[in-house]
Amino acid sequence: MSPPRQSFRMTGRSLARPDRAGRLVRTAWPHARTRLLASAWFLALMLGACADIPTGTPPAISKVERYDVKAWPARSASARGVAQEFVWNAQARNQWWRAYAYPKLDALVTRGLLNSPDLQAANHRLSAAREQLTALNASTTVPQIDVGGQANRARQLTLPLPPVPPTAVYDIFLGQVQAKYTFDLFGATRYANKRLAWQTRRQFWQLQAARQALAANIVTTAIRVAALRVRIDATERLLRLAQEDAREMQRRQELGAVAPHDLMEANRSAMAVAAILPGLHAQHLVARHGLALLLGVAPQQAPQDLEFDRLAVPQRIPVTVPSELLKIRPDIQAADAALKSAAAEVGAATAQMYPSLTLSAAMGKGGFDWSSAMGAAGSIWSIGASLTAPLFHGGALRAEARAARNNYQAAVQDYKQTVLAAFGKVADLLLTLQQDADALLAADMAQEAAKQALADVRAQVRLGALAPAAARAREQLSIDAQLNALTYAEARLSNTAALFTAIGTQPLHGQPPLVQP
Protein backbone atom coordinates (compact mmCIF):
# COMPACT_ATOMS: atom_id res chain seq x y z
CA MET A 1 0.00 0.00 0.00
CA SER A 2 1.49 3.36 -0.99
CA PRO A 3 2.02 6.00 1.72
CA PRO A 4 -0.38 8.91 1.82
CA ARG A 5 0.66 11.95 -0.21
CA GLN A 6 1.93 14.80 1.93
CA SER A 7 0.58 18.29 1.32
CA PHE A 8 2.36 21.55 2.17
CA ARG A 9 0.91 24.88 3.23
CA MET A 10 2.81 28.20 3.25
CA THR A 11 2.49 30.08 6.53
CA GLY A 12 4.45 33.36 6.80
CA ARG A 13 8.16 32.74 6.41
CA SER A 14 7.92 28.95 6.89
CA LEU A 15 6.48 25.85 5.33
CA ALA A 16 3.85 23.79 7.14
CA ARG A 17 3.44 20.07 6.40
CA PRO A 18 1.34 17.45 8.17
CA ASP A 19 3.02 14.74 10.20
CA ARG A 20 1.72 11.12 10.60
CA ALA A 21 -0.83 12.30 13.11
CA GLY A 22 -2.07 15.00 10.78
CA ARG A 23 -0.64 17.92 12.74
CA LEU A 24 1.08 20.74 10.83
CA VAL A 25 4.83 20.98 11.42
CA ARG A 26 6.57 24.28 10.56
CA THR A 27 9.74 24.10 8.52
CA ALA A 28 11.96 27.13 7.86
CA TRP A 29 12.28 28.39 4.34
CA PRO A 30 15.41 27.05 2.65
CA HIS A 31 16.73 30.53 1.95
CA ALA A 32 16.46 31.46 5.65
CA ARG A 33 18.63 28.50 6.58
CA THR A 34 21.05 29.50 3.88
CA ARG A 35 21.26 33.00 5.29
CA LEU A 36 21.98 31.57 8.71
CA LEU A 37 24.77 29.36 7.40
CA ALA A 38 26.21 32.23 5.40
CA SER A 39 26.20 34.47 8.47
CA ALA A 40 27.94 31.82 10.54
CA TRP A 41 30.52 31.32 7.78
CA PHE A 42 31.13 35.07 7.54
CA LEU A 43 31.49 35.39 11.33
CA ALA A 44 33.96 32.52 11.37
CA LEU A 45 35.98 34.23 8.69
CA MET A 46 35.98 37.49 10.65
CA LEU A 47 37.15 35.78 13.82
CA GLY A 48 39.80 33.85 11.90
CA ALA A 49 41.12 36.99 10.25
CA CYS A 50 41.45 38.81 13.57
CA ALA A 51 42.91 35.89 15.50
CA ASP A 52 46.56 35.75 16.45
CA ILE A 53 47.51 39.09 14.88
CA PRO A 54 50.16 40.82 17.04
CA THR A 55 49.28 44.18 18.55
CA GLY A 56 52.76 45.62 18.13
CA THR A 57 53.16 46.30 21.84
CA PRO A 58 56.90 46.55 22.64
CA PRO A 59 58.26 43.59 24.59
CA ALA A 60 58.55 44.12 28.31
CA ILE A 61 62.12 44.94 29.28
CA SER A 62 63.14 43.78 32.73
CA LYS A 63 62.77 46.57 35.27
CA VAL A 64 65.88 48.72 35.25
CA GLU A 65 66.39 51.21 38.05
CA ARG A 66 69.88 52.34 37.12
CA TYR A 67 72.14 51.98 34.13
CA ASP A 68 75.39 50.51 35.49
CA VAL A 69 76.20 47.63 37.82
CA LYS A 70 76.99 49.88 40.75
CA ALA A 71 75.62 53.17 41.98
CA TRP A 72 77.53 56.21 40.80
CA PRO A 73 77.99 59.43 42.81
CA ALA A 74 75.71 62.40 42.26
CA ARG A 75 78.63 64.53 41.10
CA SER A 76 82.03 64.05 39.58
CA ALA A 77 85.35 65.20 40.93
CA SER A 78 85.97 68.94 40.70
CA ALA A 79 88.37 69.51 37.81
CA ARG A 80 89.26 73.03 36.69
CA GLY A 81 86.71 74.38 39.13
CA VAL A 82 83.77 72.40 37.77
CA ALA A 83 82.20 69.34 39.39
CA GLN A 84 79.58 67.97 37.01
CA GLU A 85 76.29 67.28 38.79
CA PHE A 86 74.27 64.32 37.52
CA VAL A 87 70.59 65.13 38.10
CA TRP A 88 68.56 61.94 38.23
CA ASN A 89 65.11 61.81 36.61
CA ALA A 90 65.61 65.05 34.71
CA GLN A 91 65.37 65.73 31.00
CA ALA A 92 67.80 67.61 28.82
CA ARG A 93 66.56 70.60 26.91
CA ASN A 94 66.37 70.40 23.14
CA GLN A 95 69.25 72.80 22.49
CA TRP A 96 71.60 71.12 24.96
CA TRP A 97 74.72 72.57 23.29
CA ARG A 98 73.92 75.95 24.87
CA ALA A 99 75.19 74.47 28.14
CA TYR A 100 78.75 75.08 26.83
CA ALA A 101 78.10 78.84 27.17
CA TYR A 102 79.85 79.72 23.91
CA PRO A 103 77.72 81.75 21.43
CA LYS A 104 80.02 80.89 18.52
CA LEU A 105 79.40 77.19 19.14
CA ASP A 106 75.64 77.82 19.26
CA ALA A 107 75.86 79.60 15.91
CA LEU A 108 77.74 76.66 14.35
CA VAL A 109 75.12 74.13 15.46
CA THR A 110 72.24 76.32 14.30
CA ARG A 111 73.93 76.81 10.94
CA GLY A 112 74.51 73.10 10.50
CA LEU A 113 70.92 72.16 11.36
CA LEU A 114 69.63 74.67 8.81
CA ASN A 115 72.06 73.99 5.96
CA SER A 116 72.86 70.27 6.15
CA PRO A 117 71.95 68.62 2.80
CA ASP A 118 71.47 65.28 4.54
CA LEU A 119 68.89 66.73 6.92
CA GLN A 120 67.12 68.60 4.14
CA ALA A 121 66.95 65.43 2.03
CA ALA A 122 65.61 63.44 5.00
CA ASN A 123 63.05 66.17 5.69
CA HIS A 124 61.82 66.06 2.09
CA ARG A 125 61.58 62.27 2.24
CA LEU A 126 59.50 62.58 5.40
CA SER A 127 57.20 65.11 3.70
CA ALA A 128 56.84 62.75 0.74
CA ALA A 129 55.95 59.90 3.10
CA ARG A 130 53.31 62.04 4.78
CA GLU A 131 51.74 62.86 1.40
CA GLN A 132 51.79 59.21 0.37
CA LEU A 133 50.02 58.32 3.61
CA THR A 134 47.39 61.00 2.96
CA ALA A 135 46.88 59.72 -0.58
CA LEU A 136 46.54 56.12 0.59
CA ASN A 137 43.98 57.03 3.25
CA ALA A 138 41.97 59.09 0.77
CA SER A 139 41.99 56.37 -1.89
CA THR A 140 40.97 53.51 0.41
CA THR A 141 38.61 54.89 3.04
CA VAL A 142 36.08 56.78 0.90
CA PRO A 143 34.31 55.85 -2.34
CA GLN A 144 36.10 56.83 -5.52
CA ILE A 145 33.97 58.86 -7.93
CA ASP A 146 35.11 59.57 -11.48
CA VAL A 147 33.51 61.30 -14.41
CA GLY A 148 34.29 60.51 -18.00
CA GLY A 149 33.23 61.36 -21.51
CA GLN A 150 33.74 59.75 -24.87
CA ALA A 151 33.09 60.82 -28.44
CA ASN A 152 34.01 58.41 -31.27
CA ARG A 153 33.43 58.22 -35.01
CA ALA A 154 33.98 54.77 -36.48
CA ARG A 155 33.73 52.95 -39.82
CA GLN A 156 32.76 49.28 -39.68
CA LEU A 157 32.34 46.59 -42.37
CA THR A 158 28.87 45.11 -42.98
CA LEU A 159 27.46 42.40 -45.22
CA PRO A 160 27.51 43.53 -48.89
CA LEU A 161 23.76 43.08 -49.42
CA PRO A 162 21.91 45.71 -51.48
CA PRO A 163 20.73 48.24 -50.76
CA VAL A 164 22.97 48.28 -47.65
CA PRO A 165 26.41 49.68 -48.42
CA PRO A 166 29.37 47.42 -47.66
CA THR A 167 30.51 49.74 -44.87
CA ALA A 168 28.78 51.77 -42.16
CA VAL A 169 29.93 54.98 -40.55
CA TYR A 170 28.54 55.83 -37.13
CA ASP A 171 29.19 58.06 -34.08
CA ILE A 172 29.18 57.25 -30.36
CA PHE A 173 28.59 59.84 -27.68
CA LEU A 174 28.99 58.73 -24.05
CA GLY A 175 29.24 60.52 -20.71
CA GLN A 176 28.89 58.96 -17.27
CA VAL A 177 29.73 59.18 -13.59
CA GLN A 178 31.26 56.10 -11.99
CA ALA A 179 31.53 55.25 -8.29
CA LYS A 180 33.44 52.38 -6.73
CA TYR A 181 34.07 51.29 -3.15
CA THR A 182 35.76 48.25 -1.68
CA PHE A 183 34.55 47.19 1.77
CA ASP A 184 37.37 46.47 4.21
CA LEU A 185 35.69 43.35 5.55
CA PHE A 186 38.77 41.75 7.10
CA GLY A 187 41.03 44.75 7.68
CA ALA A 188 43.34 44.44 4.68
CA THR A 189 43.05 48.15 3.89
CA ARG A 190 43.17 49.22 7.53
CA TYR A 191 46.33 47.23 8.23
CA ALA A 192 47.99 48.46 5.05
CA ASN A 193 47.25 52.06 6.04
CA LYS A 194 48.56 51.50 9.56
CA ARG A 195 51.70 49.92 8.19
CA LEU A 196 52.48 52.97 6.07
CA ALA A 197 51.55 55.29 8.95
CA TRP A 198 54.00 53.58 11.29
CA GLN A 199 56.68 53.62 8.60
CA THR A 200 56.13 57.38 8.30
CA ARG A 201 56.41 57.73 12.06
CA ARG A 202 59.63 55.73 11.96
CA GLN A 203 61.04 58.14 9.37
CA PHE A 204 60.16 61.03 11.67
CA TRP A 205 62.13 59.57 14.56
CA GLN A 206 65.02 58.66 12.30
CA LEU A 207 65.12 62.31 11.23
CA GLN A 208 65.18 63.37 14.89
CA ALA A 209 68.03 60.96 15.57
CA ALA A 210 69.90 62.40 12.58
CA ARG A 211 69.41 65.95 13.91
CA GLN A 212 70.73 65.00 17.34
CA ALA A 213 73.66 63.14 15.81
CA LEU A 214 74.50 66.10 13.58
CA ALA A 215 74.42 68.51 16.52
CA ALA A 216 76.69 66.19 18.53
CA ASN A 217 79.08 65.79 15.59
CA ILE A 218 79.32 69.55 15.11
CA VAL A 219 80.04 70.10 18.81
CA THR A 220 82.65 67.35 19.08
CA THR A 221 84.32 68.32 15.80
CA ALA A 222 84.50 71.98 16.82
CA ILE A 223 86.03 70.90 20.14
CA ARG A 224 88.50 68.69 18.28
CA VAL A 225 89.53 71.54 15.97
CA ALA A 226 90.05 73.93 18.89
CA ALA A 227 92.07 71.33 20.84
CA LEU A 228 94.26 70.60 17.80
CA ARG A 229 95.04 74.30 17.47
CA VAL A 230 96.23 74.38 21.11
CA ARG A 231 98.23 71.19 20.55
CA ILE A 232 99.88 72.64 17.43
CA ASP A 233 100.85 75.84 19.24
CA ALA A 234 102.32 73.87 22.15
CA THR A 235 104.22 71.54 19.81
CA GLU A 236 105.65 74.49 17.88
CA ARG A 237 106.92 75.85 21.20
CA LEU A 238 108.51 72.47 21.93
CA LEU A 239 110.20 72.56 18.54
CA ARG A 240 111.65 76.04 19.20
CA LEU A 241 113.01 74.87 22.55
CA ALA A 242 114.55 71.76 20.96
CA GLN A 243 116.13 73.86 18.23
CA GLU A 244 117.62 76.23 20.80
CA ASP A 245 119.09 73.20 22.59
CA ALA A 246 120.56 71.99 19.30
CA ARG A 247 122.09 75.40 18.52
CA GLU A 248 123.60 75.66 21.97
CA MET A 249 124.95 72.13 21.65
CA GLN A 250 126.43 73.12 18.27
CA ARG A 251 128.30 76.02 19.89
CA ARG A 252 129.54 73.85 22.74
CA GLN A 253 130.68 71.14 20.37
CA GLU A 254 132.65 73.71 18.34
CA LEU A 255 134.38 74.74 21.58
CA GLY A 256 135.13 71.10 22.35
CA ALA A 257 132.98 71.07 25.47
CA VAL A 258 130.77 68.18 24.33
CA ALA A 259 131.26 65.11 22.22
CA PRO A 260 129.88 64.91 18.65
CA HIS A 261 127.29 62.32 19.63
CA ASP A 262 125.74 64.82 22.09
CA LEU A 263 125.16 67.20 19.19
CA MET A 264 123.70 64.40 17.14
CA GLU A 265 121.32 63.54 19.98
CA ALA A 266 120.18 67.15 20.27
CA ASN A 267 119.52 67.33 16.53
CA ARG A 268 117.65 64.03 16.67
CA SER A 269 115.37 65.36 19.44
CA ALA A 270 114.61 68.49 17.44
CA MET A 271 113.83 66.49 14.30
CA ALA A 272 111.60 64.12 16.26
CA VAL A 273 109.50 67.06 17.46
CA ALA A 274 109.48 68.55 13.94
CA ALA A 275 108.16 65.23 12.58
CA ILE A 276 105.07 65.50 14.80
CA LEU A 277 103.93 68.84 13.40
CA PRO A 278 102.97 67.79 9.83
CA GLY A 279 100.64 65.13 11.20
CA LEU A 280 99.06 67.60 13.61
CA HIS A 281 98.53 70.15 10.83
CA ALA A 282 96.98 67.46 8.64
CA GLN A 283 94.64 66.37 11.44
CA HIS A 284 93.68 69.98 12.04
CA LEU A 285 92.87 70.63 8.38
CA VAL A 286 90.96 67.36 8.02
CA ALA A 287 88.91 68.21 11.11
CA ARG A 288 88.20 71.69 9.75
CA HIS A 289 87.13 70.22 6.41
CA GLY A 290 84.87 67.75 8.22
CA LEU A 291 83.32 70.58 10.22
CA ALA A 292 82.65 72.52 7.02
CA LEU A 293 80.87 69.53 5.50
CA LEU A 294 78.77 69.15 8.64
CA LEU A 295 77.75 72.79 8.25
CA GLY A 296 76.77 72.20 4.64
CA VAL A 297 79.53 74.32 3.05
CA ALA A 298 82.66 73.63 1.01
CA PRO A 299 85.94 72.88 2.84
CA GLN A 300 87.40 76.24 1.83
CA GLN A 301 84.52 77.92 3.69
CA ALA A 302 85.37 76.25 6.99
CA PRO A 303 84.75 78.54 9.99
CA GLN A 304 87.45 79.96 12.18
CA ASP A 305 88.69 77.86 15.08
CA LEU A 306 86.98 78.25 18.42
CA GLU A 307 89.02 79.24 21.45
CA PHE A 308 89.41 76.12 23.53
CA ASP A 309 89.60 77.99 26.82
CA ARG A 310 86.24 79.65 26.09
CA LEU A 311 84.43 76.31 26.12
CA ALA A 312 82.77 75.88 29.52
CA VAL A 313 82.21 72.37 30.81
CA PRO A 314 78.44 71.86 31.32
CA GLN A 315 77.96 71.62 35.06
CA ARG A 316 74.40 70.26 35.32
CA ILE A 317 73.86 66.98 33.48
CA PRO A 318 70.23 65.75 33.47
CA VAL A 319 69.97 61.96 33.43
CA THR A 320 66.75 60.46 32.11
CA VAL A 321 65.54 57.40 34.02
CA PRO A 322 65.42 54.19 31.95
CA SER A 323 61.62 54.12 31.75
CA GLU A 324 61.53 57.64 30.33
CA LEU A 325 64.45 56.95 28.02
CA LEU A 326 62.22 54.47 26.17
CA LYS A 327 59.78 57.29 25.38
CA ILE A 328 62.06 60.08 24.17
CA ARG A 329 65.18 58.55 22.69
CA PRO A 330 64.75 58.76 18.89
CA ASP A 331 66.32 55.43 17.94
CA ILE A 332 64.13 53.57 20.45
CA GLN A 333 61.02 55.32 19.17
CA ALA A 334 62.05 54.44 15.61
CA ALA A 335 62.45 50.79 16.62
CA ASP A 336 59.03 50.89 18.29
CA ALA A 337 57.46 52.28 15.10
CA ALA A 338 59.19 49.56 13.06
CA LEU A 339 57.75 46.95 15.43
CA LYS A 340 54.21 48.27 15.03
CA SER A 341 54.64 48.50 11.27
CA ALA A 342 55.68 44.84 11.21
CA ALA A 343 52.59 43.94 13.26
CA ALA A 344 50.37 45.75 10.76
CA GLU A 345 52.13 43.86 7.97
CA VAL A 346 51.10 40.60 9.63
CA GLY A 347 47.49 41.79 9.69
CA ALA A 348 47.57 42.86 6.04
CA ALA A 349 49.13 39.56 4.91
CA THR A 350 46.56 37.57 6.91
CA ALA A 351 43.63 39.57 5.53
CA GLN A 352 44.73 38.80 1.96
CA MET A 353 43.62 35.19 2.52
CA TYR A 354 39.97 36.23 2.99
CA PRO A 355 37.31 37.51 0.57
CA SER A 356 36.91 41.09 -0.56
CA LEU A 357 33.70 42.83 -1.61
CA THR A 358 33.53 45.71 -4.09
CA LEU A 359 30.45 47.69 -5.07
CA SER A 360 30.34 49.75 -8.24
CA ALA A 361 27.75 51.98 -9.89
CA ALA A 362 27.59 54.19 -12.95
CA MET A 363 25.06 56.43 -14.61
CA GLY A 364 25.13 58.73 -17.59
CA LYS A 365 24.03 59.39 -21.13
CA GLY A 366 24.92 57.74 -24.41
CA GLY A 367 23.83 57.37 -28.01
CA PHE A 368 24.81 57.21 -31.65
CA ASP A 369 24.13 60.89 -32.17
CA TRP A 370 24.11 63.94 -29.93
CA SER A 371 20.34 64.38 -29.83
CA SER A 372 19.62 60.76 -28.90
CA ALA A 373 22.36 60.78 -26.30
CA MET A 374 20.83 63.81 -24.56
CA GLY A 375 17.28 62.50 -24.79
CA ALA A 376 15.37 60.19 -22.49
CA ALA A 377 16.31 57.17 -24.55
CA GLY A 378 20.01 57.85 -23.97
CA SER A 379 19.97 57.30 -20.21
CA ILE A 380 22.27 54.48 -19.12
CA TRP A 381 23.13 53.09 -15.73
CA SER A 382 24.71 50.11 -14.09
CA ILE A 383 25.14 48.76 -10.58
CA GLY A 384 27.05 45.72 -9.47
CA ALA A 385 28.83 43.88 -6.72
CA SER A 386 31.98 41.82 -6.93
CA LEU A 387 32.99 39.26 -4.33
CA THR A 388 36.46 37.82 -4.72
CA ALA A 389 37.88 35.08 -2.53
CA PRO A 390 41.26 33.35 -2.94
CA LEU A 391 40.84 29.72 -3.90
CA PHE A 392 44.24 28.43 -4.97
CA HIS A 393 47.51 30.40 -5.04
CA GLY A 394 49.96 27.57 -4.60
CA GLY A 395 50.57 28.43 -0.93
CA ALA A 396 51.82 31.91 -1.77
CA LEU A 397 49.43 33.74 0.56
CA ARG A 398 50.26 31.54 3.54
CA ALA A 399 53.97 31.90 2.81
CA GLU A 400 53.60 35.68 2.75
CA ALA A 401 51.77 35.55 6.10
CA ARG A 402 54.54 33.40 7.60
CA ALA A 403 57.16 35.77 6.23
CA ALA A 404 55.35 38.72 7.83
CA ARG A 405 55.32 36.94 11.18
CA ASN A 406 59.03 36.22 10.94
CA ASN A 407 59.66 39.86 10.12
CA TYR A 408 57.65 40.79 13.18
CA GLN A 409 59.71 38.53 15.42
CA ALA A 410 62.86 40.06 13.97
CA ALA A 411 61.50 43.54 14.75
CA VAL A 412 60.88 42.43 18.35
CA GLN A 413 64.51 41.41 18.72
CA ASP A 414 65.72 44.59 17.00
CA TYR A 415 63.74 46.63 19.52
CA LYS A 416 65.26 44.73 22.44
CA GLN A 417 68.76 45.21 21.06
CA THR A 418 68.19 48.94 20.52
CA VAL A 419 67.01 49.38 24.11
CA LEU A 420 69.89 47.39 25.56
CA ALA A 421 72.41 49.29 23.45
CA ALA A 422 70.92 52.59 24.62
CA PHE A 423 71.15 51.56 28.27
CA GLY A 424 74.74 50.41 27.75
CA LYS A 425 75.71 53.67 26.03
CA VAL A 426 74.35 55.79 28.88
CA ALA A 427 76.07 53.59 31.47
CA ASP A 428 79.41 53.77 29.67
CA LEU A 429 79.26 57.55 29.29
CA LEU A 430 78.32 58.12 32.92
CA LEU A 431 81.32 56.07 33.98
CA THR A 432 83.55 57.73 31.38
CA LEU A 433 82.68 61.22 32.58
CA GLN A 434 83.56 60.23 36.13
CA GLN A 435 86.91 58.92 34.95
CA ASP A 436 87.50 61.97 32.74
CA ALA A 437 87.08 64.25 35.74
CA ASP A 438 89.42 62.14 37.89
CA ALA A 439 92.05 61.97 35.15
CA LEU A 440 91.78 65.69 34.39
CA LEU A 441 92.12 66.54 38.06
CA ALA A 442 95.30 64.48 38.34
CA ALA A 443 96.65 65.87 35.05
CA ASP A 444 95.95 69.45 36.16
CA MET A 445 97.76 68.82 39.43
CA ALA A 446 100.74 67.46 37.48
CA GLN A 447 100.63 70.48 35.17
CA GLU A 448 100.50 72.87 38.12
CA ALA A 449 103.48 71.11 39.72
CA ALA A 450 105.39 71.38 36.43
CA LYS A 451 104.60 75.11 36.24
CA GLN A 452 105.87 75.64 39.81
CA ALA A 453 109.04 73.73 39.03
CA LEU A 454 109.56 75.81 35.88
CA ALA A 455 109.14 79.03 37.83
CA ASP A 456 111.74 77.86 40.39
CA VAL A 457 114.23 76.88 37.69
CA ARG A 458 113.79 80.18 35.87
CA ALA A 459 114.44 82.03 39.12
CA GLN A 460 117.66 80.09 39.60
CA VAL A 461 118.67 80.81 35.99
CA ARG A 462 118.19 84.54 36.59
CA LEU A 463 120.42 84.25 39.68
CA GLY A 464 123.09 82.41 37.65
CA ALA A 465 122.76 79.21 39.65
CA LEU A 466 121.64 77.17 36.63
CA ALA A 467 122.32 77.29 32.90
CA PRO A 468 119.54 78.42 30.49
CA ALA A 469 119.35 74.87 29.16
CA ALA A 470 117.88 73.79 32.50
CA ALA A 471 114.98 76.24 32.06
CA ARG A 472 114.33 74.96 28.55
CA ALA A 473 114.31 71.36 29.75
CA ARG A 474 111.90 72.21 32.54
CA GLU A 475 109.63 74.12 30.13
CA GLN A 476 109.50 71.10 27.86
CA LEU A 477 108.27 69.02 30.79
CA SER A 478 105.69 71.67 31.58
CA ILE A 479 104.42 71.64 27.99
CA ASP A 480 104.21 67.85 28.05
CA ALA A 481 102.07 68.11 31.18
CA GLN A 482 99.90 70.72 29.45
CA LEU A 483 99.35 68.46 26.45
CA ASN A 484 98.49 65.54 28.72
CA ALA A 485 95.86 67.64 30.53
CA LEU A 486 94.55 68.87 27.18
CA THR A 487 93.76 65.29 26.18
CA TYR A 488 91.54 64.75 29.22
CA ALA A 489 89.92 68.19 28.95
CA GLU A 490 88.96 67.51 25.34
CA ALA A 491 87.62 64.07 26.24
CA ARG A 492 85.52 65.54 29.05
CA LEU A 493 83.93 68.11 26.74
CA SER A 494 83.28 65.60 23.94
CA ASN A 495 81.92 62.85 26.18
CA THR A 496 79.53 65.33 27.76
CA ALA A 497 78.09 66.03 24.30
CA ALA A 498 77.78 62.29 23.70
CA LEU A 499 75.92 61.86 26.99
CA PHE A 500 73.48 64.64 26.14
CA THR A 501 72.67 62.77 22.93
CA ALA A 502 72.44 59.39 24.66
CA ILE A 503 69.93 60.47 27.32
CA GLY A 504 67.52 61.76 24.68
CA THR A 505 65.53 64.96 24.32
CA GLN A 506 62.19 66.02 22.94
CA PRO A 507 62.03 66.43 19.13
CA LEU A 508 64.00 69.40 17.86
CA HIS A 509 61.38 70.22 15.25
CA GLY A 510 57.80 69.08 14.69
CA GLN A 511 55.77 66.27 16.18
CA PRO A 512 55.47 62.65 15.05
CA PRO A 513 52.49 61.85 12.79
CA LEU A 514 49.49 60.36 14.49
CA VAL A 515 48.42 56.80 13.73
CA GLN A 516 44.74 55.95 13.71
CA PRO A 517 43.88 53.02 15.99
Side-chain angles (χ1 to χ4, degrees), residues 90-214:
Q91 186 174 326
R93 57 182 179 177
N94 292 348
Q95 299 179 343
W96 50 265
W97 51 87
R98 295 185 179 275
Y100 288 89
Y102 199 173
K104 289 185 178 180
L105 179 62
D106 301 342
L108 289 179
V109 177
T110 302
R111 182 181 178 186
L113 293 177
L114 290 176
N115 298 336
S116 171
D118 289 338
L119 283 188
Q120 292 182 10
N123 192 46
H124 285 300
R125 282 191 289 268
L126 176 61
S127 299
R130 290 177 185 268
E131 296 300 334
Q132 290 175 353
L133 177 60
T134 301
L136 181 62
N137 286 329
S139 63
T140 56
T141 58
V142 296
Q144 302 299 300
I145 302 176
D146 299 305
V147 60
Q150 180 181 350
N152 290 339
R153 183 175 179 82
R155 184 174 183 270
Q156 184 177 0
L157 293 176
T158 61
L159 293 176
L161 299 176
V164 179
T167 60
V169 178
Y170 61 93
D171 300 324
I172 296 178
F173 298 94
L174 180 64
Q176 63 179 348
V177 178
Q178 299 175 336
K180 183 179 180 181
Y181 182 71
T182 299
F183 288 90
D184 192 22
L185 300 178
F186 300 97
T189 299
R190 177 168 56 89
Y191 283 119
N193 293 357
K194 287 180 65 175
R195 176 188 178 188
L196 184 58
W198 284 115
Q199 289 176 349
T200 305
R201 192 179 178 96
R202 181 188 183 188
Q203 285 186 256
F204 171 85
W205 286 111
Q206 288 175 336
L207 176 58
Q208 297 305 315
R211 285 197 176 103
Q212 292 289 349
L214 177 62

Side-chain angles (χ1 to χ4, degrees), residues 407-421:
N407 288 333
Y408 174 76
Q409 293 299 327
V412 171
Q413 301 304 320
D414 290 341
Y415 178 86
K416 290 181 179 179
Q417 183 59 38
T418 302
V419 172
L420 294 177

Side-chain angles (χ1 to χ4, degrees), residues 299-321:
Q300 65 179 4
Q301 298 174 313
Q304 295 297 319
D305 299 349
L306 301 181
E307 299 177 22
F308 189 83
D309 294 337
R310 289 284 307 277
L311 290 164
V313 177
Q315 184 172 358
R316 186 178 183 273
I317 309 297
V319 181
T320 308
V321 297

Side-chain angles (χ1 to χ4, degrees), residues 331-414:
D331 57 342
I332 296 179
Q333 286 296 306
D336 176 69
L339 177 63
K340 289 180 170 57
S341 175
E345 181 183 1
V346 173
T350 303
Q352 293 298 322
M353 297 187 293
Y354 295 89
S356 63
L357 175 64
T358 301
L359 296 183
S360 61
M363 62 179 299
K365 293 282 190 176
F368 292 99
D369 55 63
W370 184 254
S371 59
S372 63
M374 298 303 295
S379 297
I380 58 176
W381 61 269
S382 68
I383 186 171
S386 173
L387 180 65
T388 303
L391 181 61
F392 177 74
H393 288 255
L397 297 180
R398 294 188 180 277
E400 291 176 358
R402 291 193 298 269
R405 293 184 182 279
N406 284 322
N407 288 333
Y408 174 76
Q409 293 299 327
V412 171
Q413 301 304 320
D414 290 341

